[in-house]
Amino acid sequence: GNSVTQMEGPVTLSEEAFLTINCTYTATGYPSLFWYVQYPGEGLQLLLKATKADDKGSNKGFEATYRKETTSFHLEKGSVQVSDSAVYFCALPVYSGAGSYQLTFGKGTKLSVIP
Amino acid sequence: DSGVTQTPKHLITATGQRVTLRCSPRSGDLSVYWYQQSLDQGLQFLIQYYNGEERAKGNILERFSAQQFPDLHSELNLSSLELGDSALYFCASSVGRAGEKLFFGSGTQLSVL
C-alpha cells in the first residue's frame, strides 16, 4: 500500500540556514503529495501540496517538488527562521474504497531553529 | 484557528477506565477523522466518518469505538484503558470523503496512569 518514509530528526539549524527534510514515497499510481506542519501545542496544518509529477508546491518560503524518478518529495527552505521551529510531516492519501481517502503520515521531523 | 474543536484538552485517568473524546468539525465539513499520535508509533489513522456513516477503519483497537451524530460532531470512546493508550488524539475534518486537505483540532492529551 501507499506509504511515506521521512528522515528522522531532530534537526537543529541556525537562523538563516538552508533546510532540507527528505521524504520518499511508495505508491500505486501518482497520488497527490503533502507536507503538513505542527507548531508546538497545535494540531497539524497543511503547508503545501503537489498533485502530479514535476509539480512544485510552495508556501511561506518552503518548497517541495514531486519527483517520480526518485519517488521523492523533499521539503526545502532557503533561509529558516526561529518561527519555523515545528514538526514537519510528509503525507500521501490511501484509498479505502467508496470514494474515501485518508492521509498516511511519515513519522515527523522535528526542526529547531536557534537564533 | 482551524475551526475544529476538541474537548477536553487534557484527560488523566486510570487503567481499566472508559473515556469519551469529543470533536466538532469545521462548519460545512462532512468528514471526521480520528488519529492517534504517540512517540513510538507516530501519527496513526484510527477511523473516518462521512455524514454519519463509518467510511474507513485504520489501526483502531476493538476496545475503541466512534460515532458521528446528525449534527456532525463525533465522539471517540476508549474503554478498558491501558498504559499504552496514553497518547495525543487528534480529530480532523474535511469537506468531502477524499481526506486530502485536513483541518486538525488541537488534540486531546490522554494520560492513563
Side-chain angles (χ1 to χ4, degrees):
Chain A
N2 292 2
S3 65
V4 291
T5 302
Q6 65 179 102
M7 63 184 278
E8 301 273 333
V11 174
T12 302
L13 294 173
S14 298
E15 209 165 19
E16 298 183 4
F18 184 85
L19 169 71
T20 300
I21 300 178
N22 291 337
C23 171
T24 57
Y25 66 89
T26 301
T28 303
Y30 300 103
S32 297
L33 299 174
F34 304 83
W35 278 99
Y36 275 75
V37 58
Q38 183 180 23
Y39 297 103
E42 298 182 11
L44 282 72
Q45 56 185 273
L46 179 64
L47 179 60
L48 54 84
K49 67 181 278 189
T51 57
K52 60 184 187 296
D54 299 325
D55 235 13
K56 178 184 283 189
S58 61
N59 186 24
K60 298 182 181 180
F62 290 89
E63 292 183 338
T65 302
Y66 190 161
R67 300 207 184 279
K68 68 176 182 179
E69 309 84 14
T70 54
T71 62
S72 65
F73 192 54
H74 305 324
L75 183 67
E76 298 182 334
K77 186 173 186 182
S79 176
V80 294
Q81 306 299 312
V82 171
S83 57
D84 295 326
S85 298
V87 182
Y88 293 83
F89 295 87
C90 186
L92 81 168
V94 174
Y95 184 61
S96 57
S100 292
Y101 293 81
Q102 313 81 44
L103 287 182
T104 187
F105 291 88
K107 295 236 173 197
T109 302
K110 183 175 181 179
L111 169 67
S112 297
V113 181
I114 53 178
Chain B
D1 182 9
S2 67
V4 177
T5 303
Q6 286 188 250
T7 57
K9 289 193 179 305
H10 303 278
L11 201 46
I12 301 173
T13 188
T15 54
Q17 295 298 304
R18 172 190 167 96
V19 297
T20 297
L21 313 184
R22 182 188 169 101
C23 169
S24 294
R26 280 191 332 151
S27 176
D29 284 359
L30 299 180
S31 275
V32 169
Y33 307 78
W34 287 96
Y35 282 85
Q36 179 193 59
Q37 186 179 39
S38 61
L39 283 175
D40 54 344
Q41 296 292 322
L43 201 59
Q44 296 286 314
F45 168 69
L46 296 179
I47 197 164
Q48 176 196 4
Y49 280 83
Y50 175 76
N51 204 20
E53 292 186 4
E54 182 185 302
R55 281 292 176 178
K57 270 187 172 180
N59 301 321
I60 188 166
L61 300 172
E62 285 193 10
R63 300 183 284 108
F64 296 1
S65 65
Q67 53 184 328
Q68 185 179 29
F69 295 87
D71 67 352
L72 301 178
H73 91 272
S74 177
E75 293 181 355
L76 179 67
N77 300 296
L78 314 177
S79 61
S80 303
L81 286 168
E82 301 175 359
L83 296 177
D85 298 327
S86 296
L88 188 52
Y89 291 84
F90 284 110
C91 167
S93 70
S94 68
V95 172
R97 291 170 293 181
E100 295 191 344
K101 182 166 185 179
L102 299 183
F103 294 86
F104 280 79
S106 298
T108 294
Q109 180 67 59
L110 174 65
S111 299
V112 183
L113 306 179

